[in-house]
């Protein structure tokens, strides 16, 4: 579209005011999000598996003194789309909203990427190609002739390594060039492309790939294949998965003991000081108590108990993600899930759920089939999130595997494997009842293993998680603590409201092998699972003296004094694993499904499982004892 | 000996060329987007436990397909063949 002179002046004037927009598109898993992060400084969560980005992200960066909007589109294999996310990417590309489009390609897997390059450059005249992961290609002895590629494609081509800012200079130059160029852009796919032309794309791609790619080593994928033979091997694959899980959990347990103690001591001393300060300033006793015993106690607990496990688990998990292990997990587990009417990608969403169930539910977008996506959403809460880890770890180390982190890790691994089994069973049941259907068409891309930037991951993860825990503690735990303190200090007939409510739930609690206090602790920790133990303690010790996170010995004493036995601990562990999703997750489920009915089902499913397991366990216990 | 077999019947590590893709609609579209077009070079790399799914090298990338879906793709196997 060539503008006539008068229009052109208006166009230039208008555009000078409006912020320019550049969109990043490309096949899944080529490093668009990493590039986006490097340019904008935002911290979008990245990982080495296809489909990681499920919605477009927007950020800004400076180019030649101007602020430019950068859009990171979800990966798409072609403009003739398949899933809603790819549809969104396609719509954006064709909308004309982007002033320039950068098609990001993987230097180690260029041929297939070219198919999308052909499509986009046919309809968009302000496009350029950024061949990413050039450092990985170099490591493998793969060389790409960028100049020749540019000549063959008739668009600018640059080579970059997305996470290294210094390699981006040529890309920035190309972007400047595109934004200042005078040509118009875009048209509809159907007007620009015809079937005959599209049919020639694969052959053209192959031809171009042969011309521009050269390998200095005969088999650049040798390392990947060797690693895959171990990771997906028939005999080693499954044990390796269990071992990795156990290892992850053991490191989490081992790595949290001492930091938790240090944190809680620090916060205890700080709490004393604050308390003294408040009293010195003549603060009314009631307000002092509410703030110190209510707000501060819960805050201190949550931080000292939740931060260390998260600070260990998340970096380790991110490391696995970045290396590219997760798609292999989906590959190994596809068959069992297929037998239950779902697909291997559900395993990925479950792995995400181990970190946070809300994130796991959003991640279900990687599953193409709506029915299988729903299966994954409804069962995600059966995987215990990081908020529930402290509960599980505490109870296991106090009652089941006292003193041995190795045994505790083994028990926790078994418990999570139980969660996996229940998920499979629930998925199968749903597939035969309310979500009837056959397994759908399934494809999974296994990307090349990539060398993770360990230092960067550790620092970024630690920082992210600390911020997250603190923010959550302020916004959820603190108010909850205040509310609880009020409930435990207001009452009638010498009993607080909290204690009265606990009494109401006593029969229900007992029938499940627990008690009333535990039941309302579960109910009241709905906003944040990690507040369960502080709430429980508050119920048990209403109107007590100041007591910031007790040592494990003290905690054990308190629980025993209130009638706990090892079997109570087991019941609580079972119910922790299987009960209604937390508030954030419920909200996310509603957002993703748009259906109150589905959200209700998602709340009911794990709860019913939990009730069932607790009842059966209680039954077995009473049978064994009699 | 050369012959036409389904992708799922291909022996491990064997190389071949795609003969035709017996699918339609969205499934065909997706397979084409991933590189499964007539004439494309394909190699069977590995198989998960229980023989399902299998991973194939196509168009420079590794794609996993279930055997039910892979049986819809016919390949011209190339005994001792070379190529990328």
């Amino acid at each position: 579209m060539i503008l006539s002179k008068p229009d052109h002046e208006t166009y230039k004037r208008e555009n000078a005011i409006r912020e320019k927009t550049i969109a990043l598109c490309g096949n899944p898993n080529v490093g668009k999000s990493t590039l986006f992060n490097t340019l904008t400084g935002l911290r979008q969560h990245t990982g080495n598996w296809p489909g990681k980005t499920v919605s477009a992200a927007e950020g800004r960066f400076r180019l030649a003194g101007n602020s430019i909007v950068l859009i990171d589109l979800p990966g798409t294999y072609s403009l003739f789309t398949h899933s809603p996310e790819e549809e969104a990417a396609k719509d954006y590309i064709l909308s004309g909203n982007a002033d320039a489009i950068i098609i990001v390609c993987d230097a180690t897997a260029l041929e297939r990427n070219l198919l999308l390059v052909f499509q986009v450059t046919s309809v968009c005249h302000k496009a350029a190609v950024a061949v990413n992961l050039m450092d990985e290609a170099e490591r493998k002895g793969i060389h790409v002739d960028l100049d020749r590629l540019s000549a063959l494609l008739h668009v600018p081509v640059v080579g970059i390594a997305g996470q290294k800012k210094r390699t981006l200079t040529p890309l920035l130059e190309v972007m400047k060039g595109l934004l200042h160029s005078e040509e118009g852009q875009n048209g509809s796919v159907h007007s620009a492309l015809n079937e005959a032309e599209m049919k020639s794309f694969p052959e053209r791609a192959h031809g171009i790939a042969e011309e521009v790619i050269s390998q200095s080593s005969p088999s650049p994928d040798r390392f990947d294949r060797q690693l895959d033979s171990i990771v997906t091997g028939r005999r080693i694959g499954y044990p390796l998965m269990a071992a990795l899980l156990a290892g992850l959990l053991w490191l989490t347990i081992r790595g949290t003991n001492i930091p938790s103690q240090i944190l809680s001591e620090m916060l205890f001393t700080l709490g004393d000081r604050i308390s003294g300060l408040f009293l010195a300033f003549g603060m009314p006793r009631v307000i002092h108590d509410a703030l110190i015993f209510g707000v501060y106690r819960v805050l201190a607990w949550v931080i000292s108990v939740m931060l260390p496990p998260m600070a260990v688990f998340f970096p380790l998990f991110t490391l696995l993600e970045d290396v590219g292990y997760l798609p292999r997990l989906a590959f190994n587990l596809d068959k069992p899930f297929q037998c239950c009417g779902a697909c291997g990608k559900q395993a990925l969403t479950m792995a995400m759920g181990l970190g946070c169930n809300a994130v796991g539910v959003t991640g279900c977008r990687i599953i193409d089939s709506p029915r299988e996506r729903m299966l994954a959403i409804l069962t995600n809460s059966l995987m215990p999130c990081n908020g529930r880890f402290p509960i599980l770890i505490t109870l296991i180390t106090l009652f089941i595997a006292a003193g041995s982190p190795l045994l505790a890790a083994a028990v926790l691994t078994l418990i999570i494997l139980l969660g996996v089994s229940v998920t499979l069973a629930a998925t199968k049941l749903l597939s035969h009842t309310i979500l009837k259907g056959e397994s759908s068409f399934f494809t999974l891309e296994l990307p090349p293993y990539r060398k993770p930037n360990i230092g960067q991951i550790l620092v970024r993860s630690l920082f992210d998680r600390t911020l997250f825990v603190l923010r959550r503690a302020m916004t959820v735990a603190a108010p909850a603590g205040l509310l609880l303190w009020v409930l435990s200090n207001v009452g009638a007939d010498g009993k607080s409201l909290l204690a009265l409510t606990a009494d109401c739930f006593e029969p229900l609690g007992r029938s499940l092998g627990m008690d009333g206090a535990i039941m309302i602790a579960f109910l009241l920790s709905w906003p944040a699972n990690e507040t369960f133990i502080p709430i429980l303690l508050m119920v048990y010790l209403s109107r007590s003296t100041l007591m910031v996170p007790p040592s494990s010995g003290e905690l054990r004493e308190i629980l025993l004094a209130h009638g706990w036995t090892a079997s109570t601990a087991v019941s609580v562990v079972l119910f922790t694993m299987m009960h209604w999703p937390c508030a954030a997750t419920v909200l996310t489920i509603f957002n993703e499904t748009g259906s109150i009915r589905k959200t209700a089902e998602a709340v009911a499913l794990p709860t019913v499982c939990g009730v069932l397991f607790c009842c059966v366990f209680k039954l077995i216990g009473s049978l064994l004892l009699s | 000996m050369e012959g036409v077999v389904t992708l799922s019947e291909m022996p491990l590590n064997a190389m071949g060329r795609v003969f035709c893709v017996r699918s339609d609609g969205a499934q065909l579209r997706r397979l084409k987007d991933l590189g499964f077009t007539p004439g494309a070079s394909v190699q069977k790399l590995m198989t998960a436990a229980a023989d399902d799914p299998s991973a194939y090298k196509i168009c420079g990338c590794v794609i996993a397909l279930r055997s039910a879906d892979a049986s819809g793709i016919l390949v011209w196997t190339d005994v001792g063949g070379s190529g990328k």
Side-chain angles (χ1 to χ4, degrees), chain A residues 69-320:
Chain A
V69 175
L70 190 66
I71 308 264
D72 179 20
L73 296 171
T76 177
Y77 289 111
S78 104
L79 293 180
F80 294 88
T81 55
H82 194 75
S83 68
E85 286 70 47
E86 288 184 301
E87 184 100 27
K90 177 201 87 176
D91 287 342
Y92 188 83
I93 293 172
L94 297 179
S95 68
N97 286 332
D99 295 293
I101 296 187
I102 305 291
I103 312 159
V104 185
C105 298
D106 181 349
T108 62
L110 192 57
E111 193 179 328
R112 208 241 350 257
N113 291 187
L114 291 177
L115 297 176
L116 183 67
V117 173
F118 294 152
Q119 288 182 11
V120 175
T121 52
S122 300
V123 299
C124 175
H125 305 296
K126 281 201 180 181
V129 172
V131 179
N132 197 11
L133 299 161
M134 292 293 281
D135 50 346
E136 286 288 320
E138 200 181 302
R139 217 166 46 81
K140 291 183 163 171
I142 298 174
H143 179 260
V144 181
D145 187 347
L146 299 168
D147 295 325
R148 187 85 192 109
L149 185 60
S150 181
L152 290 168
L153 292 175
H154 309 296
V155 289
V157 174
V158 290
I160 58 171
Q163 69 248 54
K164 295 176 184 151
K165 205 154 190 171
R166 60 173 187 276
T167 65
L168 300 184
T169 325
L171 178 61
L172 296 173
E173 289 303 314
V174 164
M175 284 175 170
K176 266 190 240 169
L178 285 178
L179 292 176
H180 289 133
S181 116
E182 305 289 288
E183 283 180 60
Q185 74 164 355
N186 288 349
S188 93
V189 173
H190 298 291
S191 66
L193 294 168
N194 55 52
E195 277 303 313
E197 206 182 322
M198 295 239 351
K199 272 208 170 83
S200 69
F201 282 171
E203 216 178 304
R204 261 184 78 194
H206 188 68
I208 293 181
E210 298 250 308
E211 249 200 88
V212 306
I213 301 175
S214 56
Q215 280 159 203
S216 59
S217 86
S219 42
D221 295 335
R222 204 165 50 108
F223 176 71
D224 280 10
R225 297 289 78 79
Q226 283 172 336
L227 203 51
D228 272 337
S229 65
I230 301 173
V231 166
T232 64
R234 283 154 188 274
R235 291 207 202 96
I236 320 178
Y238 275 72
L240 184 66
M241 287 191 289
L244 273 172
L245 178 64
L248 204 65
L249 296 172
W250 179 76
L251 277 169
T252 306
I253 294 177
R254 206 68 221 278
T256 58
N257 228 342
I258 297 183
S260 267
Q261 274 173 15
I262 295 178
L263 261 179
S264 80
E265 270 166 31
M266 257 174 52
L267 292 169
F268 177 46
T269 335
L270 183 63
D272 265 353
R273 296 256 166 81
I274 297 179
S275 169
L277 216 68
F278 282 173
L279 293 173
F281 272 100
M283 180 180 278
R285 189 81 213 186
V286 174
I287 300 188
H288 164 274
D289 285 2
L291 287 179
I292 298 293
F293 298 164
V295 176
Y296 191 81
R297 181 195 308 190
V298 176
L299 205 68
W301 180 291
V302 162
I303 294 175
S304 67
V305 149
M306 177 120 155
L307 184 56
M310 276 202 142
V312 174
F313 181 85
F314 264 83
L316 288 177
F317 186 75
T318 310
L319 220 65
L320 269 183

Side-chain angles (χ1 to χ4, degrees), chain A residues 493-541:
Chain A
D493 299 332
K495 263 197 159 173
S496 71
L497 271 177
L498 205 59
L500 286 169
T501 327
D503 288 344
C504 285
F505 279 92
E506 189 74 16
L508 177 62
R510 290 280 161 204
S511 68
L512 295 174
M514 301 184 272
D515 67 22
I518 299 173
M519 289 314 297
I520 56 163
F522 272 121
L523 285 165
L524 292 174
S525 61
W526 181 65
N529 277 305
E530 62 268 27
T531 56
F532 173 79
I533 295 189
I535 293 177
L536 184 64
L537 288 181
M538 273 186 125
V539 179
Y540 281 150
L541 307 167

Side-chain angles (χ1 to χ4, degrees), chain A residues 14 56 77 124 235 305 412 459 483 519 536 542-543 586 613 621:
Chain A
E14 281 171 356
Y77 289 111
C124 175
R235 291 207 202 96
V305 149
L412 188 54
V459 170
L483 178 68
M519 289 314 297
L536 184 64
S542 36
R543 290 189 211 255
V586 170
F613 269 82

Side-chain angles (χ1 to χ4, degrees), chain A residues 77-78 82 86 109 112 198 202 221 228 232 234 331 334-335 338 342-343 368 440-446, chain B residues 27 29-31 33-34 37 45-48 50-54 57 59-66 69:
Chain A
Y77 289 111
S78 104
H82 194 75
E86 288 184 301
R112 208 241 350 257
M198 295 239 351
D221 295 335
D228 272 337
T232 64
R234 283 154 188 274
F331 181 75
D334 182 57
K335 187 70 182 178
Q338 197 186 342
C343 77
D368 289 334
S440 69
F441 176 57
F442 173 77
T443 63
L444 176 71
E445 183 167 354
L446 301 178
Chain B
Q27 194 162 332
R29 182 81 252 153
R30 175 59 110 197
L31 288 171
D33 290 341
L34 291 173
T37 52
L45 294 177
M46 54 197 177
T47 305
D51 276 337
D52 209 2
S54 295
K57 181 116 188 176
C59 228
C61 300
V62 177
I63 304 290
L65 291 176
R66 290 175 175 161
D69 302 322

